[in-house]
């Protein structure tokens, strides 16, 4: 099996059987995203406590690239610190935009999206979930929840 075939298989698997699909009722952060060019949509919910992404889920619709990218993303960020997630966002973004040479072994299934940089119109699809994740992590909602919890405790 050629590498391109393996990558295509990973993308199709995540598109047909998305991981972490749904919504977290006890989420600390909710964020939505939309790609107006092709209509891809996403609602992302996360539980971030003690600087750790404890859980993440999404609901959405769109093309195979956007939905598979979000599915793989949720698997990759669960259990990571906020700083680790920021580094991963930077690596993935650099790879799909063709701006950075990345050690693909460190990206696991995310490396399946390396060919996206050859199709500029697809970059927005691949980045939809990642852009929402970045907004969620940078969100004041995290700080507000933490401050509220500290005030209660």
């Amino acid at each position: 099996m050629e590498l391109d075939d393996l990558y295509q298989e990973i993308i199709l698997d995540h598109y047909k059987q998305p991981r972490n699909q749904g919504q977290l009722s006890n989420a600390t952060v909710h964020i939505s995203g939309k790609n107006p060019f092709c209509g891809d949509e996403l609602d992302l919910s996360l539980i971030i406590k003690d600087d750790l992404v404890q859980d993440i889920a999404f609901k959405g619709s769109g093309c195979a690239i956007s939905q598979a990218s979000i599915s793989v993303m949720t698997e990759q960020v669960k259990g990571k610190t906020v700083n680790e997630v920021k580094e991963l966002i930077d690596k993935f973004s650099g790879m799909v935009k063709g701006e950075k040479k990345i050690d693909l072994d460190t990206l696991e299934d995310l490396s399946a999206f390396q060919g996206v940089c050859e199709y500029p119109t697809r970059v927005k699809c691949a980045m939809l979930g990642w852009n929402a994740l970045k907004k969620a992590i940078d969100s004041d909602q995290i700080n507000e929840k933490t401050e509220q919890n500290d005030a209660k405790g």
Side-chain angles (χ1 to χ4, degrees):
M1 177 181 283
E2 287 194 29
L3 201 53
D4 285 347
D5 293 338
L6 175 64
Y7 289 159
Q8 189 172 10
E9 198 172 287
I10 290 169
I11 291 170
L12 287 175
D13 178 48
H14 276 271
Y15 176 62
K16 291 178 181 177
Q17 299 173 357
R19 283 37 158 212
N20 301 300
Q21 196 170 34
Q23 191 167 5
L24 303 173
S25 60
N26 57 339
T28 56
V29 182
H30 288 278
I31 197 130
S32 296
K34 184 172 182 161
N35 181 348
F37 297 105
C38 63
D40 296 345
E41 294 183 329
L42 152 83
D43 286 313
L44 192 63
S45 54
L46 298 96
I47 298 174
I48 300 176
K49 289 184 182 169
D50 301 323
D51 200 44
L52 195 70
V53 177
Q54 293 183 352
D55 206 357
I56 183 170
F58 78 99
K59 288 172 47 175
S61 62
C63 69
I65 296 290
S66 74
Q67 299 304 292
S69 176
I70 296 165
S71 175
V72 175
M73 176 193 78
T74 63
E75 287 191 320
Q76 294 292 317
V77 303
K78 195 182 292 189
K80 288 194 170 34
T81 66
V82 169
N83 281 337
E84 289 171 328
V85 171
K86 286 179 180 181
E87 287 176 21
L88 194 56
I89 292 168
D90 186 54
K91 282 183 184 179
F92 184 78
S93 175
M95 179 188 71
V96 298
K97 293 176 181 176
E99 297 170 350
K100 295 182 180 180
K101 285 285 185 197
I102 305 294
D103 178 4
L104 298 178
D105 291 337
T106 65
L107 291 180
E108 301 174 22
D109 282 356
L110 291 173
S111 61
F113 298 90
Q114 68 176 328
V116 169
C117 67
E118 296 174 25
Y119 306 95
T121 58
R122 307 306 282 172
V123 170
K124 288 186 187 322
C125 300
M127 287 301 301
L128 177 64
W130 296 88
N131 290 333
L133 179 61
K134 182 169 178 18
K135 285 179 187 169
I137 286 176
D138 293 341
S139 168
D140 288 337
Q141 290 181 53
I142 295 170
N143 298 328
E144 289 170 12
K145 291 279 185 184
T146 303
E147 288 168 10
Q148 286 173 3
N149 291 339
D150 289 347
K152 291 177 186 175

